[in-house]
mmCIF file of all heavy atoms in Angstrom:
data_model
loop_
_atom_site.group_PDB
_atom_site.id
_atom_site.type_symbol
_atom_site.label_atom_id
_atom_site.label_comp_id
_atom_site.label_asym_id
_atom_site.label_seq_id
_atom_site.Cartn_x
_atom_site.Cartn_y
_atom_site.Cartn_z
ATOM 1 N N LEU A 124 -0.563 1.042 12.403
ATOM 2 C CA LEU A 124 -1.576 0.040 12.700
ATOM 3 C C LEU A 124 -0.990 -1.359 12.787
ATOM 4 O O LEU A 124 -1.381 -2.155 13.644
ATOM 5 C CB LEU A 124 -2.670 0.084 11.622
ATOM 6 C CG LEU A 124 -3.811 -0.908 11.706
ATOM 7 C CD1 LEU A 124 -4.611 -0.713 12.983
ATOM 8 C CD2 LEU A 124 -4.725 -0.763 10.486
ATOM 9 N N ARG A 148 9.882 18.522 -7.113
ATOM 10 C CA ARG A 148 10.364 17.227 -6.640
ATOM 11 C C ARG A 148 10.827 16.384 -7.829
ATOM 12 O O ARG A 148 10.157 16.326 -8.872
ATOM 13 C CB ARG A 148 9.269 16.484 -5.891
ATOM 14 C CG ARG A 148 8.773 17.183 -4.649
ATOM 15 C CD ARG A 148 9.772 17.152 -3.524
ATOM 16 N NE ARG A 148 10.094 15.795 -3.104
ATOM 17 C CZ ARG A 148 10.660 15.489 -1.951
ATOM 18 N NH1 ARG A 148 10.983 16.465 -1.098
ATOM 19 N NH2 ARG A 148 10.929 14.242 -1.624
ATOM 20 N N HIS A 154 14.146 1.917 -10.488
ATOM 21 C CA HIS A 154 15.602 1.798 -10.544
ATOM 22 C C HIS A 154 16.316 3.002 -9.925
ATOM 23 O O HIS A 154 17.552 3.012 -9.827
ATOM 24 C CB HIS A 154 16.064 1.613 -11.996
ATOM 25 C CG HIS A 154 15.772 2.780 -12.893
ATOM 26 N ND1 HIS A 154 14.496 3.134 -13.255
ATOM 27 C CD2 HIS A 154 16.604 3.679 -13.491
ATOM 28 C CE1 HIS A 154 14.540 4.191 -14.042
ATOM 29 N NE2 HIS A 154 15.806 4.546 -14.195
ATOM 30 N N VAL A 173 10.564 -9.527 5.612
ATOM 31 C CA VAL A 173 10.348 -8.137 5.230
ATOM 32 C C VAL A 173 9.359 -8.064 4.068
ATOM 33 O O VAL A 173 9.288 -8.974 3.233
ATOM 34 C CB VAL A 173 11.676 -7.432 4.827
ATOM 35 C CG1 VAL A 173 12.546 -7.208 6.031
ATOM 36 C CG2 VAL A 173 12.418 -8.211 3.751
ATOM 37 N N CYS A 231 -5.768 3.840 -14.142
ATOM 38 C CA CYS A 231 -6.113 4.975 -14.993
ATOM 39 C C CYS A 231 -7.290 4.711 -15.917
ATOM 40 O O CYS A 231 -7.663 5.571 -16.723
ATOM 41 C CB CYS A 231 -4.885 5.444 -15.775
ATOM 42 S SG CYS A 231 -3.663 6.267 -14.725
ATOM 43 N N ALA A 243 -0.551 16.031 -13.264
ATOM 44 C CA ALA A 243 0.657 16.035 -12.434
ATOM 45 C C ALA A 243 1.875 15.473 -13.150
ATOM 46 O O ALA A 243 2.975 15.493 -12.591
ATOM 47 C CB ALA A 243 0.394 15.241 -11.154
#
Side-chain angles (χ1 to χ4, degrees):
L124 178 62
R148 298 288 299 198
H154 64 292
V173 289
C231 289

